[in-house]
Amino acid sequence: MDTEICIVGAGPAGATLSHFLTKEKINHIVLDKGSFPRDKICGDGITVDVLNVLKRISPELQERFTQESEMLASWGFCFHASNGKELRYDFRDNGFPMAPFYTSRRLDLDDFLVRNLTDEYGKLLNESEVIGIIRHDAGVDVTYVNGGVEHVIKAKMIIGAEGEKPIVTRHLGLEHFREKEHLIGALRVYYKNVKGFHDGNHLEFFFDKELLPGYFWAFPLSNNEANVGLGMVSTAISDKKVNLKKMLDHVIENNMKVARMFAEAEPLEKTRGWGLPIITPKRQIAGERFALIGDAAGMIEPFTGKGIGPGMMSARICSEHIVQALKDKDYNMTHYQEHMYRYYKSEIKTGYTLQKTLKYPIALNSVLGLSNLSAIKKWSHNKMVTEWNRWI
Ligand SMILES: Cc1cc2nc3c(=O)[nH]c(=O)nc-3n(C[C@H](O)[C@H](O)[C@H](O)COP(=O)(O)OP(=O)(O)OC[C@H]3O[C@@H](n4cnc5c(N)ncnc54)[C@H](O)[C@@H]3O)c2cc1C
């Protein structure tokens, strides 16, 4: 046996798993077809669960992350409803110990995660694309290509962390679960000179009437740049025959609040698209000698599209089950699957409920508008602050 665990993909999910396996002194190999630093189409919004996982890896790692010059602390967010109302939270008002959000280009975040790996128990092989997987009674044989040459790794288990294009799923002969109703199509474009961000670097979400059930975002980054994009569930894109690129330009030109922010803005790249597989119960994400984490397991929250935190959290939870599996010499990872869906049960429910309101502007406006009633606003605010404080 070459190694205990073979991880396919060194994005946030795969790199996080490598950190946890190293902590547990478990030998493993991580294969990634790219080499770091590398870009990934994303909104670059780092949520509180990411900070939580970093701290669980080690408080020093969390500290190091917040000190990096590319990471921009963000103290809140704002939902802009189509009727002009807005729901804004600034966590500085609540004596929060640290910013609950950050923004970081994925070029920097993913590089940070792999740069801080040690090679004592794990080895990251860049430019190594997995092209074949054979599962048998004694383990898993993983074939990858590096520099045009094929190699085989023999491992006890394989963990799929290869992102949205489900290569491990396909090679293991599992159901390919990229159903349109559980996939969001989204675009990203970096801009400079977007004006009017809140002084707490808030994440701005716009629920423009013409874009619903999708939304537009503008997140401030370091160096006067911004991550700008929009996303919509794939069924709505095809039903409404929406051209996302045209829609993005339309919002920038015609939504009054957005247009004001973009008056002097300049795009820094061509608009680029990618899929977001959202968390859906009852998928097979684990079994005999395998588990899927991150986007490979479809771990994206349905309303906001956040997937970095759930991807890293799935890696943390998966690591616990790997430790147990190696100890028991029982390589069936079904317990991980049950654990994950139990862990995210309420988030799945809330996410889908909120996602459904996107289809109905009046319902959405009332959700956002209601929160302006002081009693409800106070209640939801306190609840959020208490819950999020727990994460940090
Ligand atoms: C437009 C857009 C905006 C988003 N905005 C946000 C946001 O603001 N906040 C947030 O939390 N989430 C956001 N997400 C979701 C987030 O980007 C993903 O959930 C996150 O990247 C998942 O991480 P991962 O490690 O599972 O996969 P990835 O980051 O996709 O990493 C997978 C890795 O696997 C490697 N790989 C793939 N195939 C192979 C192979 N055959 N062999 C070897 N290696 C392979 C790839 O090179 C890659 O490095 C957004 C997504 C999109 C598309």
Side-chain angles (χ1 to χ4, degrees), residues 42-178:
C42 187
D44 300 339
I46 312 286
T47 43
V48 68
D49 38 2
V50 173
L51 299 168
N52 181 284
V53 176
L54 289 174
K55 191 166 155 193
R56 282 166 186 256
I57 294 169
S58 83
E60 295 74 38
L61 190 67
Q62 188 202 56
E63 175 79 15
R64 227 175 288 155
F65 170 84
T66 61
Q67 310 281 310
E68 297 265 310
S69 59
E70 294 85 6
M71 317 303 177
L72 184 72
S74 164
W75 284 94
F77 63 87
C78 185
F79 290 158
H80 300 264
S82 58
N83 62 2
K85 284 191 175 168
E86 58 179 55
L87 175 67
R88 188 176 289 281
Y89 280 104
D90 189 314
F91 289 82
R92 286 177 301 186
D93 303 339
N94 296 282
F96 233 59
M98 63 186 289
F101 305 113
Y102 276 78
T103 58
S104 159
R105 291 163 198 80
R106 288 292 298 276
L107 194 79
D108 301 316
L109 171 72
D110 295 21
D111 187 50
F112 171 84
L113 290 170
V114 299
R115 207 176 348 111
N116 281 283
L117 289 170
T118 56
D119 53 11
E120 217 178 334
Y121 295 96
K123 193 151 70 171
L124 166 62
L125 302 180
N126 288 310
E127 308 287 341
S128 300
E129 180 168 6
V130 172
I131 55 160
I133 300 165
I134 297 171
R135 210 167 22 140
H136 48 81
D137 288 347
V140 187
D141 300 343
V142 184
T143 306
Y144 68 96
V145 183
N146 177 296
V149 182
E150 281 191 20
H151 306 265
V152 177
I153 288 175
K154 290 183 179 297
K156 287 187 179 144
M157 286 193 273
I158 183 159
I159 309 298
E162 76 279 21
E164 197 263 325
K165 309 274 179 285
I167 174 112
V168 175
T169 305
R170 251 191 297 124
H171 283 297
L172 291 180
L174 305 170
E175 202 185 327
H176 182 279
F177 44 71
R178 291 297 181 265

Side-chain angles (χ1 to χ4, degrees), residues 8-14 31-34 36 38 40-47 106 110 128-131 161-165 167 186-188 217 219 274-276 293-296 300 305-311:
V8 184
L31 300 167
D32 200 291
K33 66 180 180 186
F36 294 83
R38 61 106 183 85
K40 151 80 175 76
I41 309 301
C42 187
D44 300 339
I46 312 286
T47 43
R106 288 292 298 276
D110 295 21
S128 300
E129 180 168 6
V130 172
I131 55 160
E162 76 279 21
E164 197 263 325
K165 309 274 179 285
I167 174 112
L187 300 178
R188 176 205 80 186
W217 72 81
F219 297 167
W274 198 264
L276 293 86
I293 58 176
D295 279 13
I300 294 192
K306 88 169 170 167
I308 303 170

Side-chain angles (χ1 to χ4, degrees), residues 10 17 86 106 125 144 150 166 178 198 204-205 209 225 254 260 287 316 383:
L17 182 58
E86 58 179 55
R106 288 292 298 276
L125 302 180
Y144 68 96
E150 281 191 20
R178 291 297 181 265
H198 190 273
E204 308 285 338
F205 297 85
K209 200 157 53 199
E225 293 181 9
N254 296 293
R260 263 200 306 274
R316 179 186 78 68
K383 190 167 180 289

Side-chain angles (χ1 to χ4, degrees), residues 250-287:
H250 181 83
V251 174
I252 291 178
E253 282 160 27
N254 296 293
N255 178 302
M256 272 167 48
K257 280 184 177 177
V258 176
R260 263 200 306 274
M261 292 176 76
F262 280 74
E264 295 165 40
E266 280 172 57
L268 295 167
E269 59 170 353
K270 280 197 176 143
T271 310
R272 294 162 71 192
W274 198 264
L276 293 86
I278 54 185
I279 191 162
T280 312
K282 301 190 184 76
R283 281 178 182 152
Q284 190 186 2
I285 59 165

Side-chain angles (χ1 to χ4, degrees), residues 161-234:
E162 76 279 21
E164 197 263 325
K165 309 274 179 285
I167 174 112
V168 175
T169 305
R170 251 191 297 124
H171 283 297
L172 291 180
L174 305 170
E175 202 185 327
H176 182 279
F177 44 71
R178 291 297 181 265
E179 320 89 345
K180 273 192 169 175
E181 66 271 33
H182 299 302
L183 189 69
I184 295 173
L187 300 178
R188 176 205 80 186
V189 52
Y190 284 131
Y191 267 83
K192 69 173 182 187
N193 280 339
V194 178
K195 303 283 182 207
F197 281 116
H198 190 273
D199 67 1
N201 299 322
H202 289 180
L203 309 178
E204 308 285 338
F205 297 85
F206 296 86
F207 298 95
D208 188 281
K209 200 157 53 199
E210 296 189 44
L211 181 56
L212 292 174
Y215 69 82
F216 174 96
W217 72 81
F219 297 167
L221 293 166
S222 57
N223 300 332
N224 189 32
E225 293 181 9
N227 182 313
V228 176
L230 61 78
M232 190 185 281
V233 178
S234 292

